[in-house]
Amino acid sequence: MAAKSGKELSQPPTRKQVRACIDDADQSFRACWQTLTSLKKVEAEGLDGGALLEFQPVLASALFQLDDAYRRLVHHRGVLIQKKASHSATRFRRRMRALDQDRKALRSAMRVGRNLGDAFAWTFYQFDQPLLELHFQHPANPHTPPGIGGRGELEFIKHARPRGFLMLYHGITNFLRIGDFSFFDPDTGRISAIGELKSVLDESEQLMVRMHTISTNREKIPFVDPDRPVKKPENRDQILVMEAQFKATPERQMKKMAEVARHSAPTRKADLKNAYHTEELANFAKQLSLTGLAFEHVGKGGVLAGCCPFRGRSLSSRIYSKASQASILKRMARIRGRVSVIWDAALPDNSIFYSELDPGVSPGIPPLFWLASDIDFLERVYFMRAIVGTIYNPAHLFRALRERGYEVRTEYPKTGTPKFEISQKVSNDIAEIKGVDFFLRLIQHRFMREAKIIETFDTLLRQVQELGSGQAVRLELSLAHFFSLNPHRASRAT
């Protein structure tokens, strides 16, 4: 991150500069995409090790540049508001609108980059579902850190190479939220340590960083070589300053890191080889690639609809596209006929859930990138070259559950979130399925078959019966989707 001159800081980035920043980042994103696709296409032994190591520095540098431009816009927006009286109402509104458009554009570009970071980091976190759940208990930070702290993190990810580990930088992801770095141990295939970084400048403006690490293996700690003597910096005063900063780190943050480090392994496994509507997704991807417009039914209750309305070849052109909502709706007009097919007037719970396809990670839901799907289709989704909507009517699932003896209660308030309650009598007790929204999301956004969801419910109820009646029992289900680097191998879940 180069230092900005006083003149640069006195003026906000122009629209042309913002677009150039986005397109520079896009070049970095494209390089990262090539590394991701190589991860998906070949066995680990055939990977380009250099490209793998460069993925994070390249992506992090791009995100820091986008955030730098974003912070400058935020600063000048505040200045403009302070000086509102010195501008005409028309000019003030025009400038505010332009600044807000540019901030929104930068956020969109950062979202593209962090989605790529999620797909990369998840590859090494997929066997540590309990850790992911702990990360998700804390709010996300959509921005890289400013100032010396941010500079230290960026330089660290560029130059630090801990022997025996792959270091994962949390700042390129949406879902890694505790600590600054995770350390993947190739020997075990698991995350074995979490690190927190502190940075300061010494008297000669040299950047000094210090890592506080919590590890599950005291015999193998990142950056600690038992055969190599540790050389301490001669500047004792600087060491004392950094130690004071570490002591100022909230104790609860250290506790969070320790909790992440003390993870447990998944216990039960289920074959998910045939759990997804992969054929329907492949048909949809082929249509979209050939014609730029596609519709596909997914099971009895789902529909995928997509179009490619943006003509711009660059990421900034697509983000700033003039394509109107009306023109997009006109392209998608045939969706009405598709939706009518998934609506069954004989069912009591008909409802239509519509949203844009989400490629991101959430608890129990893997990134879209790792599903068995065409790379061109995934590229269109990740790089905003296509708008893909997913529509779902859960009434068919609810009917199938009732046919298997489940009681399903639905509530659709005029305002607020719909409520679903699923239960079944077990001996003399009632077993309830909580978190129904999660399972609906698996069906709508990861195309899991409804039959697999019902099979999961049946398995849970059998486990409840094994525990016996007459006592309160709570079973927690954690789905951990494991995708091999070899696309011909089956995926699994716990």
Side-chain angles (χ1 to χ4, degrees):
M1 293 183 296
K4 301 297 179 183
S5 67
K7 184 176 180 181
E8 285 178 302
L9 291 174
S10 65
Q11 296 295 328
T14 64
R15 174 66 55 82
K16 183 177 180 180
Q17 290 171 332
V18 170
R19 294 188 62 158
C21 182
I22 291 172
D23 290 334
D24 286 345
D26 188 34
Q27 293 300 311
S28 298
F29 296 163
R30 293 287 173 181
C32 292
W33 182 256
Q34 293 302 315
T35 302
L36 274 178
T37 55
S38 70
L39 271 173
K40 190 170 185 178
K41 288 179 179 178
V42 300
E43 290 289 345
E45 300 82 64
L47 293 175
D48 182 343
L52 189 68
L53 291 175
E54 284 301 309
F55 181 97
Q56 295 181 93
V58 168
L59 181 55
S61 296
L63 290 172
F64 270 93
Q65 290 296 331
L66 291 169
D67 252 324
D68 180 66
Y70 182 85
R71 278 189 279 267
R72 290 172 61 194
L73 288 174
V74 170
H75 169 75
H76 286 283
R77 188 178 187 275
V79 171
L80 181 63
I81 292 173
Q82 290 178 354
K83 298 181 178 181
K84 179 179 179 179
S86 63
H87 300 280
S88 68
T90 301
R91 174 176 170 74
F92 177 79
R93 285 194 300 269
R94 185 169 62 248
R95 287 296 301 134
M96 287 291 288
R97 183 166 57 249
L99 286 171
D100 289 343
Q101 288 173 344
D102 290 342
R103 288 192 308 135
K104 182 179 179 181
L106 288 168
R107 285 197 301 269
S108 296
M110 286 186 276
R111 190 160 51 248
V112 172
R114 283 179 178 262
N115 283 338
L116 298 179
D118 283 349
F120 179 84
W122 187 89
T123 312
F124 306 97
Y125 252 89
Q126 61 176 307
F127 292 99
D128 288 294
Q129 185 67 26
L131 279 77
L132 290 180
E133 292 173 357
L134 289 172
H135 280 291
F136 276 113
Q137 291 174 11
H138 303 279
N141 182 0
H143 299 286
T144 55
I148 298 302
R151 180 180 166 190
E153 290 184 14
L154 181 57
E155 293 302 320
F156 196 76
I157 194 60
K158 283 182 178 179
H159 302 292
R161 295 289 184 270
R163 191 173 73 177
F165 295 91
L166 175 66
M167 187 169 66
L168 301 174
Y169 176 43
H170 296 183
I172 63 169
T173 75
N174 294 297
F175 69 90
L176 297 180
R177 304 171 183 179
I178 300 175
D180 299 321
F181 294 89
S182 295
F183 296 89
F184 174 80
D185 185 349
D187 291 339
T188 63
R190 307 291 293 276
I191 302 298
S192 65
I194 301 290
E196 179 90 5
L197 198 72
K198 291 296 179 185
S199 308
V200 295
L201 288 178
D202 64 14
E203 296 176 354
S204 60
E205 295 297 305
Q206 291 282 336
L207 183 66
M208 296 183 64
V209 297
R210 195 172 190 183
M211 173 74 74
H212 185 96
T213 305
I214 294 178
S215 175
T216 59
N217 183 0
R218 66 177 62 189
E219 303 300 325
K220 187 178 181 183
I221 301 175
F223 302 106
V224 176
D225 185 351
D227 300 325
R228 178 182 176 184
V230 178
K231 182 180 179 180
K232 296 183 179 180
E234 297 178 359
N235 190 335
R236 181 60 185 170
D237 292 338
Q238 196 64 51
I239 294 174
L240 292 174
V241 170
M242 299 184 74
E243 287 179 345
Q245 287 190 345
F246 268 118
K247 290 178 181 178
T249 300
E251 184 179 351
R252 61 179 180 273
Q253 180 72 358
M254 294 298 103
K255 289 181 178 179
K256 292 174 188 175
M257 290 169 58
E259 189 178 2
V260 170
R262 293 192 300 267
H263 56 80
S264 58
T267 53
R268 297 177 181 267
K269 296 180 179 180
D271 184 8
L272 294 184
K273 185 176 181 180
N274 299 311
Y276 306 95
H277 288 282
T278 53
E279 184 175 346
E280 293 91 332
L281 184 59
N283 291 337
F284 176 81
K286 184 176 180 180
Q287 289 180 52
L288 191 66
S289 179
L290 291 175
T291 66
L293 181 68
F295 302 92
E296 183 73 24
H297 284 108
V298 183
K300 292 183 178 180
V303 174
L304 273 174
C307 67
C308 301
F310 309 127
R311 296 183 179 181
R313 305 183 84 180
S314 68
L315 180 59
S316 69
S317 295
R318 296 191 294 276
I319 289 175
Y320 283 101
S321 174
K322 300 292 185 181
S324 66
Q325 185 177 15
S327 66
I328 295 174
L329 290 175
K330 184 177 180 180
R331 286 172 180 248
M332 306 277 273
R334 283 163 38 201
I335 198 172
R336 294 189 182 92
R338 301 282 180 162
V339 171
S340 65
V341 174
I342 65 174
W343 186 276
D344 188 338
L347 299 178
D349 307 299
N350 280 296
S351 57
I352 297 297
F353 293 91
Y354 169 81
S355 62
E356 191 170 348
L357 182 61
D358 180 9
V361 183
S362 56
I365 297 180
L368 182 70
F369 180 84
W370 288 103
L371 264 68
S373 183
D374 179 71
I375 290 295
D376 178 71
F377 165 69
L378 294 172
E379 189 271 343
R380 288 171 184 264
V381 173
Y382 273 82
F383 285 87
M384 302 177 64
R385 291 176 55 216
I387 293 177
V388 178
T390 173
I391 302 99
Y392 181 61
N393 179 8
H396 302 279
L397 170 66
F398 296 154
R399 176 176 60 185
L401 285 168
R402 290 187 179 107
E403 290 173 351
R404 293 186 66 82
Y406 289 85
E407 182 178 349
V408 181
R409 296 177 295 279
T410 60
E411 182 180 342
Y412 297 100
K414 292 183 179 180
T415 59
T417 306
K419 298 179 181 179
F420 308 104
E421 295 180 4
I422 299 175
S423 61
Q424 190 177 82
K425 189 173 181 180
V426 178
S427 298
N428 297 321
D429 302 313
I430 299 295
E432 293 185 55
I433 305 291
K434 300 291 187 180
V436 178
D437 290 345
F438 163 74
F439 296 101
L440 298 185
R441 184 172 174 80
L442 271 176
I443 296 170
Q444 185 174 358
H445 286 270
R446 291 300 176 268
F447 320 113
M448 185 168 279
R449 296 181 184 276
E450 294 178 340
K452 181 58 68 173
I453 299 295
I454 296 173
E455 180 185 319
T456 301
F457 291 171
D458 290 346
T459 300
L460 287 173
L461 290 179
R462 283 197 299 270
Q463 292 180 23
V464 169
Q465 290 176 323
E466 291 171 4
L467 293 172
S469 60
Q471 58 180 325
V473 175
R474 178 184 176 90
L475 293 179
E476 293 190 4
L477 172 71
S478 293
L479 281 177
H481 306 250
F482 303 150
F483 296 94
S484 169
L485 294 179
N486 185 335
H488 299 294
R489 293 182 181 174
S491 57
R492 297 171 293 161
T494 60

